[in-house]
Amino acid sequence: MAFMMVLLVFLLGVTVWAFFQMNPKGISARTLALYNAGVLVIAVLAAYAVGRALYADAVVAKAGHAGMAAYLTIMAASTVFLIVVLAGGVIRNFFVFPVEKRAKEPPPIG
């Protein structure tokens, strides 16, 4: 289980890093920051909602095995977080700030 938690932390870190690295160029920094913050808040709230519901069900179903219920909750909630951040990044880059809405970048020098 410890190895799975290490993998999960790695995936969470890479996903959040990639989410910010793939920011579209030519967009107002304030607008982009508000959108990114909104996606992260929604991801945390969705993960919390799923984790809370799963933990409540798992504790009832497996009385006396709260450790496994917590492990299941952490994994499921983290997966929901990853999916929401991924979907938010795709929606941001293709639908909210498509190439047509972005400011033109100057041509490279050289």
Side-chain angles (χ1 to χ4, degrees):
M1 281 196 221
F3 182 67
M4 294 300 286
M5 292 300 284
V6 169
L7 281 176
L8 178 65
V9 169
F10 175 75
L11 283 173
L12 287 170
V14 167
T15 301
V16 171
W17 173 83
F19 178 73
F20 288 108
Q21 289 299 309
M22 300 297 169
N23 278 338
K25 305 287 189 262
I27 302 294
S28 161
R30 183 175 187 270
T31 306
L32 192 59
L34 286 173
Y35 181 86
N36 288 344
V39 167
L40 292 177
V41 166
I42 290 170
V44 168
L45 292 175
Y48 177 76
V50 167
R52 184 177 173 125
L54 267 175
Y55 186 74
D57 287 345
V59 166
V60 170
K62 297 277 188 182
H65 297 285
M68 282 304 284
Y71 180 71
L72 169 69
T73 301
I74 291 168
M75 291 299 172
S78 298
T79 301
V80 169
F81 179 85
L82 292 171
I83 291 169
V84 171
V85 169
L86 170 82
V90 169
I91 290 169
R92 175 192 63 201
N93 289 348
F94 290 112
F95 301 110
V96 176
F97 303 118
V99 176
E100 301 84 36
K101 287 187 176 180
R102 299 177 195 174
K104 302 287 185 221
E105 292 185 50
I109 299 173

